[in-house]
């Protein structure tokens, strides 16, 4: 009897990190893995070099566990971090043969520095209103109305203000 | 008369099988010396007190019960079981494997304990259960048997001595999947095992199951249909591909140039990566002077290429619900045009490199190569393994002592608790009239616990159950 599965089609086309790790000695310490989504989405290279993997072998679907690895994301080495997305079926193991070629970061993998202006004009209607208000009060309305931009810095958002160095 | 007698003698001798178990002939092939398996050090571990207590079968049964009740058992207990596995009867092997499986599915199995794995491998070799051991090694999720270098070398040596070259090749495939041929002795032994076995693998494509489109389908509802992934490494099922990939990996690190190149070329042919192989050959033609390959490698490559199965150029996409991993494997096959192209390229190259091809037997070359190199690396291994065995024994003893200490501590704690409760009861009894008011207040403040009413009449129980189920929502 042929089996036909009926249901929603999964979005990812890979294996979970722990399915890959269970097949390897030491659960894949020192091996390079990537996420297929990162390879498709970004032109720069992203991969993880695993340092420690602890799958939860009591789970029958091999989706649970914890892992740590050196994260190279879009060409930037972000150091050893915890891998929280091991349960996504999106992972791919890089064979040792292709490791050196794959991990070479070239000029193409440099992410352009995003420089953002330090100030930004006010929304036009609000600006007009405030100017009208100032004129009514008899104050000077010639000074430019600008908003100071503040960047939420995190390990993925490294944009810079144009006034910064 | 004499001729006919001689004839009958020969014909009877043909049917007589000489049992060679346990008897050492000097003509048999010994690759590793006797001292390599460290039998003395391995037997010495049994003298420690932790491995001498009581009957193994009772211990195993107790462990199994503990797994059922608590879903976990301490690593030391499984370690002791593994180290005493060589005492079991062969019929009990399944029971012991169940315990190992349950241990693997418990919380304590991560990180994997090397001493347990090594002990299991040695025990199974001593019991002669290498077939079962291979099945355990292949099922990595459920058992996780990844032996260290010394364990693998001992296993390979044992299989080669017994002339079980197919099993030795299976072990070599496992090492290939780990992409780990760094250890020299493991490398040489797997090379030897594969070279003796590759001729018995037929290069014909395996039989394909005919798909009947009118066949009744079994519809199974699932939440999400997962995409069948063929990663061309752990998912390889075809033995030709496994052998091919192993030979390619072995050939890459081979110090002998001609042998290495021949293994790589032949391996890539068996693995059906023809484009890569032809490119490699063209590079060698440019760079390497002198002899390039063995004739046998080219012949085998051509045979694999001619027998390679093809896929039609354009096939309709199969529905996601019906797609299996075999369909993904089919997508990696050659088309008919590509196949003709490669055959043409191969013929061109063959005509160019006719002088650079040597005609020598691959198996002989491998045998000479292994025998010349293997004895150099033995001594360091023996020392390392004897040290490891003694550290494992010491660790086991310290852990057992600690376990006993914790057990006695828990027992004393419980004793103290029961003593305290007894004392409290006695105090209540003796000082009742003095503390009467306080006892009444405490009784009022205490939480009201109704004792459970157990209905003993069976008819009443059944009637109540029916009434409960009457009002269940329809599923």
């Amino acid at each position: 009897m042929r089996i036909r599965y009926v249901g929603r089609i999964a979005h990812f086309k890979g294996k979970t990190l722990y399915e890959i790790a269970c097949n390897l000695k030491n659960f894949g310490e020192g091996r390079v893995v990537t996420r297929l989504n990162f390879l498709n989405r970004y032109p720069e290279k992203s991969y993880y070099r695993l340092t420690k993997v602890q799958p939860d072998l009591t789970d029958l679907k091999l989706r649970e566990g914890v892992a740590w690895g050196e994260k190279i994301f879009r060409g930037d080495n972000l150091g050893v971090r915890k891998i929280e997305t091991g349960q996504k079926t999106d992972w791919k193991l890089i064979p040792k043969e292709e490791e050196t070629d794959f991990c070479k970061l070239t000029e193409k993998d440099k992410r352009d520095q995003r420089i953002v202006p330090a100030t930004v004009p006010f929304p036009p209607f609000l600006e007009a209103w405030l100017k009208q208000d100032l004129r009514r009060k008899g104050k000077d309305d010639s000074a430019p109305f600008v908003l100071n931009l503040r960047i939420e810095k995190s390990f993925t958002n490294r944009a810079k203000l144009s006034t910064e160095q | 008369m004499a001729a006919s007698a001689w004839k009958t003698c020969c014909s009877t001798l043909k049917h007589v099988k000489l049992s060679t178990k346990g008897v050492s002939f000097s003509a048999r092939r010994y690759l590793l010396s006797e001292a390599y398996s460290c039998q003395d050090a391995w037997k010495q571990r049994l003298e420690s007190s932790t491995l001498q207590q009581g009957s193994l079968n009772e211990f195993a049964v107790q462990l199994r019960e503990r797994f059922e009740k608590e879903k976990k058992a301490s690593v030391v207990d499984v370690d002791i079981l593994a180290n005493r596995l060589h005492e079991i009867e062969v019929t009990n092997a399944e029971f012991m494997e169940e315990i190992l499986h349950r241990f693997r599915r418990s919380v304590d199995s991560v990180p994997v304990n090397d001493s347990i794995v090594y002990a299991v491998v040695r025990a199974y070799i001593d019991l002669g259960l290498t077939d079962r051991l291979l099945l355990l090694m292949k099922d990595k999720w459920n058992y996780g048997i990844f032996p260290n270098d010394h364990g693998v070398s001992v296993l390979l040596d044992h299989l080669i001595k017994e002339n079980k070259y197919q099993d030795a090749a299976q072990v070599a495939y496992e090492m290939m999947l780990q992409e780990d041929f760094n250890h020299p002795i493991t490398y040489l032994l797997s090379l030897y095992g594969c070279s003796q076995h590759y001729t018995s693998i037929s290069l014909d494509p395996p039989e394909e199951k005919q798909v009947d489109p009118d066949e009744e389908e079994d519809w199974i509802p699932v939440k999400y249909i997962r995409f069948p992934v063929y990663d061309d490494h752990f998912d390889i099922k075809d033995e030709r591909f496994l052998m091919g990939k192993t030979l390619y990996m072995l050939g890459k690190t081979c110090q002998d140039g001609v042998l290495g190149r021949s293994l790589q070329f032949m391996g890539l042919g068996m693995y059906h990566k023809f484009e890569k192989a032809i490119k490699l050959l063209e590079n060698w033609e440019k760079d390497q002077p002198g002899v390039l390959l063995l004739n046998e490698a080219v012949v085998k490559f051509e045979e694999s290429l001619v027998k390679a199965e093809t896929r039609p150029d354009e096939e309709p996409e199969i529905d996601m619900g019906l797609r299996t991993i075999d369909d993904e494997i089919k997508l990696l096959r050659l088309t008919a045009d590509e196949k003709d192209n490669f055959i043409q390229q191969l013929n061109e190259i063959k005509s160019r490199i006719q002088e650079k091809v040597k005609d020598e037997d691959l198996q002989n070359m491998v045998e000479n190569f292994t025998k010349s190199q293997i004895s150099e690396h033995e001594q360091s291994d023996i020392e390392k393994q004897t040290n490891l065995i003694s550290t494992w024994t010491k660790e086991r003893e310290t852990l057992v002592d600690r376990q006993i200490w914790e057990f006695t501590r828990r027992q004393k704690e419980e004793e103290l608790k029961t003593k305290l409760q007894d004392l409290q009861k006695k105090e209540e009894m003796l000082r009742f009239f003095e503390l009467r008011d306080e006892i009444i207040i405490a009784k009022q403040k205490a939480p009201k616990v109704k004792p459970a009413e157990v209905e003993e009449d069976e008819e009443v129980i059944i009637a109540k159950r029916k009434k409960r189920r009457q009002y269940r929502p329809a599923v």
Side-chain angles (χ1 to χ4, degrees), chain B residues 56-82 95-96 99-100 102-103 403:
Chain B
L56 177 64
N57 289 327
E58 279 175 24
F59 183 68
V61 169
Q62 274 175 14
L63 247 191
R64 171 80 188 273
E65 275 175 18
R66 188 118 68 90
F67 270 118
E68 288 223 19
K69 282 187 203 164
E70 295 167 39
K71 299 243 165 130
K72 69 173 193 172
S74 68
V75 178
V76 202
D77 289 334
V78 183
D79 196 11
I80 293 172
L81 179 77
F95 186 77
M96 303 297 167
I99 296 180
L100 288 172
R102 283 185 183 232
F103 175 64
Q403 222 183 16

Side-chain angles (χ1 to χ4, degrees), chain A residues 32-150:
Chain A
V32 174
V33 286
T34 39
R35 278 203 52 194
L36 295 169
N37 253 359
F38 292 170
L39 290 180
N40 293 337
R41 225 185 265 164
Y42 307 119
E44 303 96 356
K45 259 196 207 139
S46 324
Y47 58 88
Y48 290 83
R49 196 177 284 273
L50 298 170
T51 47
K52 187 178 177 187
V53 184
Q54 278 178 342
D56 184 1
L57 290 166
T58 51
D59 179 29
L60 291 171
K61 292 187 186 173
L62 266 186
R63 285 207 181 219
E64 289 184 34
V66 211
W68 285 265
E70 196 184 340
K71 182 170 181 173
I72 284 96
F73 182 67
R74 294 184 76 177
D76 299 310
N77 190 337
L78 302 169
V80 175
R81 304 186 67 87
K82 190 174 177 184
I83 299 172
E84 311 235 328
T85 48
Q87 81 280 11
K88 298 196 180 177
T89 57
D90 195 30
W91 294 86
K92 180 184 156 186
L93 179 70
I94 309 287
K96 274 193 187 166
E97 225 184 9
E98 299 165 23
E99 237 176 66
T100 39
D101 282 335
F102 186 83
C103 297
K104 249 191 275 181
L105 297 173
T106 57
E107 278 301 311
K108 206 174 45 142
D109 295 314
K110 254 190 168 171
R111 223 163 122 191
D112 290 328
Q113 181 83 73
R114 190 173 172 201
I115 298 178
V116 170
T119 55
V120 139
F122 257 78
F125 185 73
L126 186 58
E127 189 176 341
W129 189 320
L130 289 171
K131 278 196 175 168
Q132 198 187 54
D133 203 41
L134 281 176
R135 270 182 254 133
R136 236 185 333 114
K137 290 181 184 168
K139 289 191 185 157
D140 181 28
D141 67 344
S142 58
F145 274 76
V146 284
L147 283 167
N148 288 327
L149 271 187
R150 194 188 70 164

Side-chain angles (χ1 to χ4, degrees), chain A residues 1-8 10 13-15 19 23-25 31 57-58 60 62 89 96-97, chain B residues 104-105 109 141 147 178-179 215 217-222 224-226 231 235 248 252 319 321-322:
Chain A
M1 280 259 260
R2 244 179 134 187
I3 294 177
R4 179 190 278 269
Y5 294 109
V6 178
R8 293 163 74 178
K13 292 183 183 177
K15 293 189 169 180
E19 276 177 14
N23 280 322
L24 293 167
K25 197 170 175 179
R31 298 295 299 266
L57 290 166
T58 51
L60 291 171
L62 266 186
T89 57
K96 274 193 187 166
E97 225 184 9
Chain B
R104 175 78 170 168
R105 285 297 173 89
S109 60
W141 179 18
Q178 304 300 317
E179 294 183 274
E215 196 186 352
E217 287 173 0
D218 192 12
W219 284 31
I220 299 178
V222 285
Y224 283 97
I225 306 174
R226 258 187 85 170
D231 65 352
D235 296 326
Y248 171 61
K252 272 176 88 172
D319 279 342
L322 289 170

